[in-house]
Amino acid sequence: MTSIDAKEAASALSDIASVAHRVRQSTTYHIASLMLILWGVLAFAGNVVNYLWPRHGAFVWISVNAVGLLGSCAICASESRRTKLVSFDLRGVAAFVLFFAFGMLWSVGLGHFTPRQLDVFWPTYSMMVYTIVGLWIGPAFVAIGLGITALTLVGYFFVDGAAFLLWMAVVNGGGLILGGLWMRRN
C-alpha cells in the first residue's frame, strides 16, 4: 500500500469536487432544457393563438400556464424516477404559484397593464428569474434571460400593432426552444 501526501490528497479531493459539480450542472441543464423547450413551444403557440383570436387572450394564457405547470410537474416527476434524484417536490409547485400570484398582483391588481404591456411584462418577469438563477447555476441561464429580455424590449419599442405577438412568438417561444436545445449541448 502506498501513502499519499496532503498535497496529493487535496488535489484528488479537488478533482472529485470538480466532477461532482459538472455532473450536478449537467443534470440541472438537462432538466432545464426540457422545461425550456416545453415552455418555448407553449409560449410560441400562445402568442400565435392570441394573434389569431385576440379576444380570447386571457383564456389562451390561462390554458398555456395550466398546461405548462402540469407539463413541468410531469418532467420533474419523470426525471426524478429516471435519475433517482429528487427534482420534484411541492416547493417547486409552491414557487410557481408564488411567482404567478406576485406577477398577477403587479400586472393586473396594482399595475392595470394594457394587453401590450402584459405581453412584455410576463416574459421579462420570467427572464429575470432565469437570469438570477443563472448567477448560481450557470451562464447559459443568464444568456437566455438577458437575450430574450433585450429582444422583447426591442419588439415593444419598434414592432407595431398585432405583429408584436408574432414577434413575441419568435423571440420568447423560439428563444426558449433554442435556449433549451443549446443547454442540451452544455
Side-chain angles (χ1 to χ4, degrees):
M1 180 174 214
T2 61
S3 64
I4 60 173
D5 65 20
K7 192 174 193 180
E8 292 170 324
S11 176
L13 288 173
S14 175
D15 290 344
I16 291 168
S18 176
V19 168
H21 172 73
R22 286 195 307 268
V23 168
R24 267 193 312 277
Q25 186 175 42
S26 175
T27 301
T28 300
Y29 273 33
H30 173 72
I31 293 169
S33 74
L34 296 173
M35 297 281 198
L36 285 168
I37 292 168
L38 167 71
W39 284 96
V41 168
L42 291 171
F44 186 90
N47 279 293
V48 169
V49 171
N50 199 16
Y51 172 79
L52 296 172
W53 294 287
R55 291 179 171 241
H56 302 291
F59 296 112
V60 168
W61 291 108
I62 290 169
S63 300
V64 163
N65 284 307
V67 171
L69 176 60
L70 293 174
S72 296
C73 290
I75 288 170
C76 286
S78 171
E79 288 301 306
S80 289
R81 281 192 301 278
R82 187 182 71 80
T83 63
K84 306 292 187 237
L85 298 172
V86 177
S87 64
F88 175 75
D89 61 21
L90 290 178
R91 289 180 301 172
V93 175
F96 182 84
V97 169
L98 288 170
F99 170 82
F100 190 74
F102 188 81
M104 290 298 292
L105 170 69
W106 283 100
S107 65
V108 178
L110 298 174
H112 305 290
F113 295 167
T114 66
R116 185 175 176 92
Q117 290 169 333
L118 283 171
D119 291 336
V120 171
F121 172 77
W122 285 101
T124 57
Y125 178 51
S126 300
M127 291 305 105
M128 176 195 63
V129 173
Y130 277 90
T131 305
I132 291 170
V133 166
L135 297 175
W136 280 270
I137 293 178
F141 285 92
V142 174
I144 292 165
L146 293 177
I148 291 174
T149 297
L151 290 171
T152 297
L153 293 174
V154 166
Y156 181 74
F157 290 110
F158 298 108
V159 178
D160 291 329
F164 178 69
L165 291 171
L166 297 178
W167 171 268
M168 289 307 296
V170 172
V171 166
N172 190 29
L176 291 172
I177 293 167
L178 286 175
L181 294 173
W182 177 46
M183 277 188 154
R184 292 187 95 125
R185 295 183 43 206
N186 289 326

